[in-house]
Amino acid sequence: MGDNRTATATRPARPGAPARRSGAAGRLGRSPFSLVTALIAVGVLALVLFPLGRMVVRAFEGFGHQRWESLVGAPWFSGMLRDTVVVVGASAVIALLVAALLAWINERTDAGIGMLGDVLPLVPLFLPTVAMAVGWVLLANPDVGLLNGALGVVLEPLGISYEFNIFSYPGLILVYVLNLVPFAYLPIAAGFRSMDPSLEEAARVSGARASRVLRTVSLPAIGPAVLAGLLLVMVVGFALYSVPVIIGTRPDIDILAVRIIRSIRQTYPPAYDDAVLLSTMLLALLLVLWVAQRRLVGSGQFARIGSRSTGSSRIELGPWRWPMRSLLWLYVTLAAVLPILALGIVSFQTYWQPDLLASEWTFAHYERILFGYPLGQRSVENSLFLGLVGGGITVLVAALVIVYAHRRRNLLGKVADAVAKLPAAVPNTVLALAFVLALAGPPFQLGATLLILALAYFVVYIPYASIASEASVASVDNSMEEASGVSGAGEGRTFARILVPLMAPGLFAAWALVFVRILGDLPVAVLLGTGRTPVIGFVLLDVWDQGIFNRVAALALVMTAITVPVVMVMMWLGRPRWRRAKRARAYRARA
Amino acid sequence: MPADGTDPDAAAAGRLRLEINDLCKEFYRTGGERVRAVDQVSVDVHPGEILVLLGPSGCGKSTLLRCVAGLEQPDRGRMLIDGAVVYDGEAGTMVPAHRRDVNMMFQSYALWPHMSLRDNVAYPLRVQGASRKQARAKADDYLELVGLPGLGRQYVSTISGGQQQRVALARTLINEPSVVLFDEPLSNVDAKVRSQLRRELLRIHQELGFAAVYVTHDQIEAMGLGTRIAILRDGGVEQLADPVTIYEEPATRQVAEFVGEANLIPARVTRVSGEVAVLDCVFGEIEIAAARLSGSAADGDRRAQPAEGAAVVLMVRPEHCRLVRDPAGGGGANSWAATVDATMYAGSRTEYSCQVGTGQLTVWELATPHPLRAGAAVRVEIPREVVRVVEAG
Ligand SMILES: Nc1ncnc2c1ncn2[C@@H]1O[C@H](COP(=O)(O)OP(=O)(O)OP(=O)(O)O)[C@@H](O)[C@H]1O
Ligand SMILES: [Mg+2]
C-alpha cells in the first residue's frame, strides 16, 4: 500500500485522520487492480498476435512468389475455390433470408411466441455443430438414411422413388444454413427491435397488406442490420470446419477450411507450407469481411433478449399466423430435434438401418466408446475440464479486459478491446495451425499438453466472451460503479462485488456458449489434440475415420447429452434473481 | 509547498469540512468545442452545514459535485476534504474516489439490485473491514433511522421509488463521511413524497449533524434545506449566501430572476436627496432607499453609487407589491393607476399581471377570497423599502 503513495506523500499524514484517507493516493488508475488488468490485457494481446504473426511471417518469408505460384497452380486449387465460394455464398444468402423471416415473425408479427420465440432460433448455437452434421448424415444418407426409410414407406406404394442425399451440394448447403441462421438472426432481430413500429403502422394505415409492409417498409428499414448479418454469416461460414469435413468429403466437395487441415493431417509428410498459405489467404479474406462488418455496425447491434415491442403494434397475419408460427418450430425440428433423434436411434441400434421395427437394440456402442476405447473416457474428462475451467477463465478474462477498455479510454484499453474481438475473424482452423507452428515446437515445447489446447481455446473463444461482456457492461449503469467507489471500495472490489454480479446473466450465457463450442470443437482438437491429450472432437473424428457410424452417433450424443444439462445449469445460475420480483411488481402495478 | 492553514492547531473540531479553491473543469464536446463546466469555483463547507448548489440545468452543478467525489478529474485548482488535500492541480495530486472521506447519493439512487437492502446499506462498512454481523446490525439501525424498519431483507426491485431514496440515503450516511454529497436526490419522486422526504432529511440532519453539499435546481428545496446557497451560472458562483439574503438581496439580476419571481424594472437615476433616491422608469417616477443604489449590505462588494442619469435595473418581488382596489384612492409616492391584464388564481394567492403606464408589473395578493377580473381598474403601490437594485452602471 505504501509504495502507491506518490504526490500526497509530500504532506504529512494528519493525526487522527481515518486510515482510508491517509493511505495511498496517486494519479487516476494506478491501483494494483488496473495494473493487473493491464498486464492481462498485454498477455491476451501477445497470445493472439504472436502465433498469427509468426504464421503470416512464415507465409511471406524466404522463397518469394514461388510457393504462392505452386499453390495457385495446383490442380485442385481452382475447384476448391469454386466449391468454397459456391457453398458458403449460397448458404450465407439462404441463411440470411431464413433468419430475416424468423426475426420478422418473432419481432414484428402477432405470430411471435414471446421469450420462447427469442430462444428457438438460437438453439443450434448451444448444440455441438458436429453432432448436427453427423445427425444429418444419419437422417439423409442415400441408402440407409432414417428419413429415406420413412419416405420410402410413404412413397413406395405410390410408385414414386425419391431419396434425400445429404452427400450433395444441396445437402451440404442445407446443414450449413441450419448452422448459420442464428448468426444472422442476432443482428437482424436487433435491427427489428430497434425499429420504430410507427413506420410500419404508417404503411398499414395507408392500406398496405402485411406482405407489402414487409417488402416496402420493414426490410429497407433494417437494411444495415441485414448487411451486418450477411457479413457475419460469411465470416462464420468460411470458418466452418465440422460440417464440410463430415458431409463434404464423400462427394468430393472441396472446402478451404477442410483443405487446410487435410494438408497436415492426411498428407505425408505434412504440407505445412500449403496449410500456411491457405490460412493466410483465408485470414486476409475474413479480415476484409470483418472490418467491413465492424464499419457497418458497432457491436451494439447484437440482440438482447428482453425488451420487445408490445402486441398492439404488431402486424396481424390473420390466417397466416399459424403457418408462420410453425416455421419457427420447423427450424428447430430440422436444426436440433431430428438430428438428435437420429443420433439417439442409431447409437442404440446394433446395425444402422432405417427400418426401426426390424432393428436390434443395444448399449454396446456406448460401452465400447466410453469404456472399451482407451481414449473415450479420458477425452470426455479432458473436454469437460477444458470447457468448464478454460471456458470460465476465458469469460472472466474477457470481462476484465472489456471493463478495463470501457473505463479507461486509453491506448492500451482500445488495443486490448480490439484484440479481444479480433479472433472472431480468425477461423479455429487457422488459429489451431498457428498454435501448432508457434507453440508446439521449441522453444515452448507445448505440443501434446492440455495447456496448448487451453490456450488455443482461450484465443478462439475470447471474442464470444468479449462481445457478450460488452453487452452486459453497457447494460450496467455507470452510477452502479460510482456508488461503490464513493462508498470506499477500490476497483478490484467493485469489479468482484458489483460488476460481476450485475453482469452475471450475460457472463453465464457466454460461459455456456463457450463451453458448448469447446466441447463440440473439431479443428483445434484435431490439430492440437493427441493420443496423450485426447478431447472429444479428436476421438470423434478418429471413430468417424474408422467408419463405424453407430459409435460416432453414440459419441456425438454423449457430447450433446453433456452440453444440455450444463447449459441449463449455467443459465439457471446466471438468471437475474432480482428481475423476477420486478416483473411481478410491474404486473401488480398494472392491475 | 502551498501555504494554507494546515498547522496542527487548526485540526480542531471547527476545521472546514471541504475547501475548494479556484477549481476549473473543462469538457471537450464532440467536434472540439470547449465547455467550461466548472469555472474558478471557490467555496467552503463548515461542519454541520448544508451547502446547496443551485442553478439552471447545465450550469455545472453535477460536474462540481463529481469533482468533489473524485469521479471527475478537474483541470486546475485545489480541494481539501477535512483538511487533507484530495486534489491539487499544481502538485499533481488526485486522490481516487474510494480514498476520499465522502459519500454520495445519486439522482438515480444507484442501489445495487443484486443485494438486499440491508447489504446495500452495509456495503460501505464492509468495505472498511467491518464484520458482516456488525455491518448488518448498523445497517438495520440506519434503515430504521430513515424510516424503513424491517425492510432489510427486501430487494431493490420490490420497493417503491420513495423507499429506494431512503435506502440510498442510509447507505450514503452510514460510514459517517466528512462531507455527504447529494445530486438532486429528490427529483425523481412526485411533489408530495418530495416534501415529506425533505422534512425527513432535515430531521436526520439535525440528528446526525453531517456536513453536506446538496445539488438541486428546485429553489424550494434549496431554501428549505440550505444553510447557505451557492447560485451557479455557466460554471461560476454567482452568489454565495444564506437563503434569506439570496431571496431578499440578490446580488445580480440573474440571481433575482432565477430564485423566485421578480419584477425587473429598468430605470434611470434622476436625483438623490438624503435617504431617498428618485428614479425614472416606465411607470413614471419611483422612489427607493438611496442606500440601495450602492449595493446591498450583505453583498460585501459595495459598488460606487451611480451618478445622476445612470441606468440601473430595479427588482421588486411580486408579493411585496400592493394592489389597491379603489383606482381613485391612495396617491403619493410609488403609487400608480393600473389595469389588470390577467388574473391567475393559485389558491393561497392570486397572481395579477397589471398594465402600469407602458410597463407590466406582476403583483401577488395573498389570501384573496374574491379575485379581480381582467380589465379591472386598480392602483398598484410599491413600498420604498422593498425595491432592490440588481444591476447598476
Ligand atoms: N462528459 C461530458 N462531456 C462533455 N460535456 C459535458 C460532460 N459532462 C457534462 N458536460 C457539460 O458540462 C456542463 C455542465 O454539466 P452538468 O452535468 O454539471 O450540469 P448540471 O448543472 O448538473 O445540469 P442538470 O441540472 O441538468 O443536471 C453542461 O454544459 C454539459 O453539457
Ligand atoms: Mg446534474
Side-chain angles (χ1 to χ4, degrees):
Chain A
M1 209 162 149
D3 36 12
N4 272 4
R5 302 178 56 158
T6 49
T8 38
T10 54
R11 301 178 69 81
R14 342 192 91 254
R20 58 181 273 225
R21 196 153 23 84
S22 63
R27 279 242 159 236
L28 197 64
R30 221 178 271 167
S31 71
F33 178 77
S34 51
L35 210 73
V36 169
T37 314
L39 279 178
I40 288 180
V42 171
V44 173
L45 218 115
L47 211 52
V48 173
L49 293 186
F50 174 67
L52 283 178
R54 287 234 0 212
M55 195 189 72
V56 173
V57 166
R58 185 168 166 165
F60 291 102
E61 80 191 346
F63 316 94
H65 304 299
Q66 213 179 328
R67 290 184 308 161
W68 286 96
E69 274 161 22
S70 77
L71 173 77
V72 174
W76 47 263
F77 185 81
S78 61
M80 182 270 298
L81 215 56
R82 190 197 57 226
D83 281 355
T84 307
V85 169
V86 166
V87 169
V88 174
S91 316
V93 171
I94 298 172
L96 199 72
L97 291 178
V98 173
L101 182 63
L102 295 183
W104 179 71
I105 292 172
N106 256 337
E107 298 294 333
R108 303 293 328 133
T109 72
D110 61 351
I113 39 179
M115 274 296 261
L116 187 62
D118 288 344
V119 176
L120 285 184
L122 304 183
V123 164
L125 274 186
F126 291 92
L127 293 174
T129 311
V130 62
M132 191 213 281
V134 172
W136 269 99
V137 168
L138 303 178
L139 284 169
N141 192 299
D143 304 317
V144 274
L146 300 176
L147 274 185
N148 285 331
L151 206 62
V153 173
V154 181
L155 294 186
E156 232 155 76
L158 303 173
I160 309 168
S161 110
Y162 179 81
E163 272 186 350
F164 294 113
N165 181 4
I166 194 70
F167 296 118
S168 63
Y169 280 101
L172 183 60
I173 290 175
L174 168 74
V175 181
Y176 259 85
V177 167
L178 292 176
N179 252 293
L180 295 179
V181 162
F183 293 95
Y185 180 85
L186 283 171
I188 295 178
F192 273 125
R193 210 166 286 179
S194 59
M195 187 182 107
D196 183 357
S198 62
L199 294 180
E200 283 181 349
E201 279 159 12
R204 258 189 300 157
V205 295
S206 314
R209 292 192 331 178
S211 60
R212 197 185 175 85
V213 173
L214 175 64
R215 207 156 30 81
T216 57
V217 177
S218 317
L219 283 182
I222 55 151
V226 171
L227 208 53
L230 179 65
L231 291 172
L232 184 61
V233 165
M234 302 256 268
V235 170
V236 177
F238 275 115
L240 205 55
Y241 170 77
S242 20
V243 174
V245 78
I246 296 286
I247 296 174
T249 314
R250 199 160 120 184
D252 260 338
I253 301 175
D254 201 354
I255 301 291
L256 181 53
V258 180
R259 192 45 96 159
I260 291 174
I261 292 194
R262 189 159 10 131
S263 51
I264 293 174
R265 210 167 151 257
Q266 281 153 349
T267 314
Y268 192 82
Y272 281 112
D273 246 21
D274 281 356
V276 165
L277 296 187
L278 285 173
S279 297
T280 310
M281 254 175 56
L282 185 54
L283 204 57
L285 174 69
L286 294 185
L287 267 179
V288 170
L289 288 178
W290 185 72
V291 168
Q293 200 252 340
R294 302 274 309 170
R295 274 274 159 105
L296 288 171
V297 272
S299 47
Q301 282 280 4
F302 278 82
R304 284 164 212 164
I305 293 174
S307 67
R308 41 180 40 262
S309 48
T310 49
S312 60
S313 71
R314 286 167 170 263
I315 292 168
E316 281 161 32
L317 292 177
W320 282 97
R321 189 168 162 196
W322 283 102
M324 287 295 179
R325 183 170 287 176
S326 57
L327 282 182
L328 279 172
W329 290 107
L330 178 67
Y331 173 70
V332 178
T333 307
L334 292 182
V337 179
L338 281 182
I340 291 176
L341 212 62
L343 290 177
I345 291 171
V346 174
S347 69
F348 287 112
Q349 284 177 328
T350 313
Y351 304 102
W352 176 15
Q353 62 181 90
D355 189 347
L356 301 187
L357 297 176
S359 300
E360 288 173 47
W361 305 95
T362 175
F363 277 108
H365 304 302
Y366 287 96
E367 274 169 37
R368 175 85 191 147
I369 284 293
L370 291 177
F371 307 112
Y373 189 63
L375 299 183
Q377 201 179 344
R378 234 160 12 101
S379 72
V380 172
E381 285 166 13
N382 283 345
S383 281
L384 265 179
F385 174 77
L386 287 169
L388 284 176
V389 178
I393 292 175
T394 306
V395 170
L396 259 186
V397 168
L400 211 61
V401 170
I402 291 297
V403 166
Y404 181 87
H406 201 73
R407 300 297 169 242
R408 300 276 139 68
R409 303 196 179 271
N410 60 14
L411 189 66
L412 179 62
K414 277 185 199 140
V415 172
D417 176 66
V419 164
K421 291 178 204 147
L422 170 75
V426 184
N428 316 2
T429 332
V430 175
L431 262 174
L433 175 69
F435 265 70
V436 168
L437 295 176
L439 300 180
F444 298 102
Q445 299 289 16
L446 290 180
T449 60
L450 275 184
L451 183 60
I452 196 172
L453 277 162
L455 291 178
Y457 283 138
F458 174 84
V459 172
V460 168
Y461 295 112
I462 199 169
Y464 287 73
S466 304
I467 289 164
S469 306
E470 193 166 53
S472 345
V473 140
S475 71
V476 175
D477 194 79
N478 266 346
S479 67
M480 292 282 129
E481 246 176 292
E482 290 173 353
S484 176
V486 294
S487 294
E491 288 184 299
R493 195 184 188 101
T494 302
F495 181 76
R497 298 298 309 277
I498 306 295
L499 280 175
V500 167
L502 289 176
M503 290 164 67
L507 295 186
F508 271 105
W511 192 7
L513 186 62
V514 170
F515 174 80
V516 171
R517 298 271 126 183
I518 289 180
L519 217 70
D521 157 81
L522 285 193
V524 175
V526 168
L527 283 185
L528 295 176
T530 58
R532 278 198 288 144
T533 53
V535 285
I536 300 185
F538 176 83
V539 174
L540 192 133
L541 263 196
D542 208 37
V543 181
W544 175 262
D545 288 342
Q546 295 165 20
I548 310 165
F549 289 98
N550 306 79
R551 285 190 204 150
V552 176
L555 192 55
L557 197 67
V558 167
M559 204 185 230
T560 312
I562 295 173
T563 60
V564 171
V566 170
V567 167
M568 282 179 166
V569 166
M570 281 179 181
M571 292 299 190
W572 181 78
L573 285 176
R575 78 202 182 286
R577 263 149 269 193
W578 57 89
R579 209 171 283 161
R580 194 179 316 143
K582 189 178 196 168
R583 209 173 303 135
R585 225 169 71 79
Y587 283 134
R588 243 187 295 131
R590 223 175 296 149
Chain B
M1 181 123 186
D4 67 303
T6 51
D7 60 309
D9 306 7
R15 179 170 60 202
L16 289 176
R17 287 287 178 248
L18 172 68
E19 294 174 65
I20 301 176
N21 298 320
D22 281 331
L23 203 72
C24 295
K25 168 77 186 168
E26 286 176 351
F27 284 116
Y28 289 88
R29 288 249 161 80
T30 7
E33 186 200 347
R34 256 188 336 184
V35 186
R36 294 212 147 188
V38 176
D39 193 4
Q40 297 199 318
V41 169
S42 301
V43 288
D44 298 330
V45 178
H46 299 277
E49 176 181 51
I50 298 183
L51 175 74
V52 171
L53 303 180
L54 179 65
S57 187
C59 68
K61 307 176 297 278
S62 298
T63 308
L64 177 56
L65 201 72
R66 291 169 58 81
C67 285
V68 174
L71 299 172
E72 210 76 71
Q73 178 154 18
D75 302 322
R76 278 186 303 285
R78 222 164 103 80
M79 261 186 307
L80 290 83
I81 292 174
D82 216 9
V85 176
V86 292
Y87 173 77
D88 189 329
E90 263 162 51
T93 313
M94 170 77 190
V95 178
H98 64 278
R99 298 198 190 283
R100 294 188 184 191
D101 193 10
V102 298
N103 207 340
M104 177 158 165
M105 183 170 165
F106 292 80
Q107 183 170 7
S108 58
Y109 321 139
L111 294 174
W112 301 299
H114 62 293
M115 294 185 188
S116 67
L117 299 186
R118 173 200 277 158
D119 286 341
N120 261 285
V121 177
Y123 187 82
L125 296 177
R126 295 281 291 148
V127 170
Q128 284 177 339
S131 75
R132 182 182 298 258
K133 203 164 155 234
Q134 272 180 325
R136 283 191 168 164
K138 193 164 175 200
D140 284 339
D141 292 346
Y142 268 74
L143 280 172
E144 197 171 328
L145 177 74
V146 296
L148 296 175
L151 281 189
R153 285 171 184 284
Q154 303 303 308
Y155 280 79
V156 177
S157 48
T158 63
I159 61 172
S160 74
Q163 287 169 327
Q164 288 181 25
Q165 259 165 354
R166 289 161 190 261
V167 177
L169 179 63
R171 184 181 70 189
T172 314
L173 297 176
I174 196 165
N175 58 346
E176 295 166 20
S178 285
V179 188
V180 186
L181 309 174
F182 297 94
D183 192 356
E184 308 202 23
L186 304 186
S187 62
N188 279 347
V189 287
D190 63 71
K192 266 263 153 50
V193 180
R194 199 181 315 159
S195 72
Q196 189 189 343
L197 282 166
R198 203 163 54 223
R199 276 194 299 274
E200 200 105 331
L201 192 59
L202 274 178
R203 170 183 68 76
I204 293 168
H205 179 247
Q206 246 153 29
E207 200 164 314
L208 302 180
F210 52 83
V213 181
Y214 189 106
V215 165
T216 179
H217 58 238
D218 177 339
Q219 351 167 346
I220 303 185
E221 215 167 288
M223 300 278 175
L225 288 173
T227 318
R228 286 187 302 156
I229 298 176
I231 306 283
L232 295 188
R233 190 165 73 95
D234 294 340
V237 177
E238 193 90 355
Q239 187 173 12
L240 174 61
D242 62 282
V244 176
T245 310
I246 293 275
Y247 188 77
E248 295 294 343
E249 322 218 330
T252 65
R253 163 191 193 139
Q254 283 78 16
V255 174
E257 269 178 321
F258 186 69
V259 182
E261 284 284 321
N263 288 299
L264 292 171
I265 309 160
R268 196 168 287 282
V269 183
T270 11
R271 60 181 190 278
V272 180
S273 49
E275 296 279 275
V276 178
V278 182
L279 297 91
D280 203 27
C281 69
V282 280
F283 308 146
E285 278 205 336
I286 183 167
E287 288 183 7
I288 68 169
R292 291 288 170 197
L293 277 179
S294 48
S296 59
D299 208 10
D301 63 336
R302 296 185 149 269
R303 42 184 176 242
Q305 181 152 342
E308 288 180 8
V312 297
V313 176
L314 307 177
M315 189 280 292
V316 185
R317 298 284 179 200
E319 70 274 22
H320 288 156
C321 302
R322 274 207 303 268
L323 195 125
V324 182
R325 299 193 171 217
D326 172 13
N334 294 1
S335 171
W336 304 279
T339 331
V340 174
D341 266 353
T343 302
M344 207 190 86
Y345 180 68
S348 60
R349 60 167 188 263
T350 309
E351 306 182 4
Y352 297 105
S353 173
C354 301
Q355 177 85 34
V356 187
T358 55
Q360 287 281 335
L361 188 71
T362 304
V363 180
W364 289 358
E365 204 177 21
L366 301 182
T368 41
H370 305 293
L372 290 170
R373 296 271 177 85
V378 292
R379 283 190 88 72
V380 290
E381 294 183 359
I382 302 177
R384 191 186 291 155
E385 327 76 66
V386 302
V387 185
R388 308 280 180 252
V389 177
V390 290
E391 200 175 287

